DNA sequence: TAGATTGTTAATCGATTAACAATC
DNA sequence: TAGATTGTTAATCGATTAACAATC
């Protein structure tokens, strides 16, 4: 299911950013926006915005521009955030807790339905109202409840093993926070958040500014 | 100072990834690698690896390939991680603590030298051996010690104000974890980590796989 | 109606890939 | 020497930008 046309990675990555700006316009009670106006705010070209949106349909009107709320809702639908995703977090450390507590993630339709850890002292505690469960029970949890995404925040040395298990259990998406490459079959989507990569890019730019 | 040739964003973003793979080779006591071998491991073309590296100099040898350790060190130098960067964290919440505790960040030459928060109950506590200081003292801290990068993990509504202060205090780089766009003068480099953008891209890919 | 702005086609630009002489 | 592999130039591919007819 889903859109069959292949849309480039670059376009997909811009969608959440559009959503962010549209949300801001909405919060300021702005009803309409042209590609020109939006391009000025976002620092890209009006052409690119129109080209990007045209990958998914027609959302504007000649002479008028785009209805902010309609465009926001449309992009939400494209991203699937209107339907919602169930997320479990494996690893109840600082990063896991940050995810479980993130308002911006929840506000986009991602619901943390479970948190798992291996440490005795963490099991049974609560994070943002969600009980931390024993990692031993994660297989059963995935089999019996609907889990779309697994956020992986376990120590580096455990990442590979846990990731492979998740694939085996039929999880559709892995959100990997370990500074480690995961090579898994293409049936499971892996999205990496390599914090150290990000800060290294920042370091490079500082030195070469 | 630094390299005057303008290197494209795409190339820069691949550098930390090269470093990651080279580190792994090093750990497995592999002394040499050809662009072909590396390309197979990394899932890109040998051509691209050679093209990327050629932006910065000549690191290989015909008929031999690349000395793993030398290439690792060279890329470290390009990224400036050999010299080291001092980082302060503003916001001692889960994300701030995750940064202060991250081994992968520290192993790449980024040293957390201070953590700041506004909350009375956090001030004076220790995170990874670093004392949490009062946000009121951050200006003085920046003026008197060498701070290269500020990691911003404060709540959304405080982000803009703190970011502007950091610019004013002469900080060179901002590592922004808020789901908010920062528009600051180009003298200060901003690198964004928008976790919600990342999980939305994952959601899209799951739906359209 | 006149002005504004879309969606799309064509042109341009930049990034990736292929090819190959140089040489270890 | 023969084989391997670099760094670089040329060719290709894809993404961004410009232009414009359609139309609100």
């Amino acid at each position: 299911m889903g859109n069959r046309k292949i849309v480039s990675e670059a376009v997909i990555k811009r969608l959440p950013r559009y959503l962010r700006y549209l949300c801001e316009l909405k919060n300021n009670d702005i009803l309409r926006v042209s590609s020109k106006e939006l391009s000025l705010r976002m620092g890209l070209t009006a052409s690119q915005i129109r080209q990007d949106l045209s990958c998914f349909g027609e959302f504007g009107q000649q002479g008028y521009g785009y209805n902010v709320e309609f465009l926001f809702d449309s992009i939400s639908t494209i991203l699937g955030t209107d339907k919602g995703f169930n997320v479990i977090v494996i690893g109840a450390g600082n990063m896991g807790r940050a995810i479980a507590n993130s308002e911006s993630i929840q506000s986009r339709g991602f619901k943390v339905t479970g948190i798992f850890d291996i440490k005795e002292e963490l099991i049974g505690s609560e994070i943002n109202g969600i009980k931390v469960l024993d990692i031993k029970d994660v297989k059963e949890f995935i089999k019996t409840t609907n889990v779309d995404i697994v956020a992986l925040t376990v120590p580096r040395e455990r990442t590979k093993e846990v990731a492979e298990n998740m694939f085996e259990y039929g999880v559709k998406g892995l959100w990997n926070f370990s500074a480690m490459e995961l090579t898994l079959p293409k049936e499971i989507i892996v999205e990496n958040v390599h914090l150290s990569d990000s800060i290294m890019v920042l370091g490079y730019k500082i030195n070469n500014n």
Side-chain angles (χ1 to χ4, degrees), chain A:
Chain A
M1 103 161 20
N3 198 338
R4 283 298 101 196
K5 183 153 41 115
I6 296 142
V7 178
S8 81
E9 182 86 11
V11 174
I12 298 164
K13 284 205 173 139
R14 276 192 293 269
L15 294 179
R17 194 153 171 261
Y18 288 133
L19 218 50
R20 215 143 11 87
Y21 275 89
L22 290 165
C23 193
E24 204 175 297
L25 292 174
K26 239 177 32 154
N27 292 340
N28 292 126
D29 297 315
I30 295 165
L31 298 179
R32 54 176 277 197
V33 69
S34 68
S35 57
K36 186 79 207 301
E37 284 168 340
L38 194 55
S39 75
L40 290 172
R41 283 173 184 266
M42 296 184 65
L44 31 84
T45 66
S47 237
Q48 180 161 65
I49 293 174
R50 296 202 300 276
Q51 193 75 274
D52 283 355
L53 296 177
S54 77
C55 296
F56 306 100
E58 305 187 2
F59 307 102
Q61 204 162 55
Q62 285 106 322
Y64 174 86
Y66 301 89
N67 175 289
V68 171
E69 187 142 15
F70 177 71
L71 187 55
F72 177 87
D73 291 345
S74 299
I75 296 179
S76 293
T77 304
I78 293 163
L79 286 166
T81 59
D82 60 327
K83 260 184 293 186
F85 294 90
N86 287 335
V87 180
I88 62 169
V89 176
I90 303 191
N94 290 311
M95 188 58 75
R97 285 197 288 271
I99 293 165
N101 281 296
S102 167
E103 279 171 42
S104 63
I105 290 170
Q106 270 150 267
S107 75
R108 292 294 186 255
F110 297 87
K111 190 175 178 210
V112 177
T113 57
I115 305 173
F116 295 84
D117 206 289
I118 202 168
K119 289 212 196 81
E120 282 291 347
E121 64 267 34
L122 289 174
I123 295 164
S125 68
E126 275 200 6
I127 297 170
N128 201 19
I130 307 149
K131 223 174 213 126
V132 177
L133 304 174
D134 193 322
I135 182 75
K136 284 204 303 280
D137 301 324
V138 74
K139 183 177 182 174
E140 183 66 14
F141 190 93
I142 293 171
K143 296 286 178 202
T144 54
T145 73
N146 179 29
V147 174
D148 300 295
I149 292 171
V150 172
L152 251 185
T153 69
V154 300
R156 194 189 150 72
E157 58 276 12
R158 299 210 53 238
T159 301
K160 192 168 180 288
E161 175 210 345
V162 179
E164 281 163 1
N165 288 340
M166 292 308 115
F167 168 67
E168 210 184 282
Y169 303 161
V171 167
K172 287 170 265 177
L174 263 189
W175 201 22
N176 173 41
F177 284 79
S178 154
M180 155 173 262
E181 295 293 320
L182 290 175
T183 29
L184 293 168
K186 68 177 177 349
E187 289 87 49
I188 188 165
I189 314 277
V190 180
E191 183 75 16
N192 294 298
V193 179
H194 294 315
L195 289 190
S196 58
D197 284 25
S198 168
I199 197 171
M200 280 189 264
V201 169
L202 178 55
Y204 176 88
K205 289 179 179 171
I206 289 172
N207 278 148
N208 299 86
N209 195 25

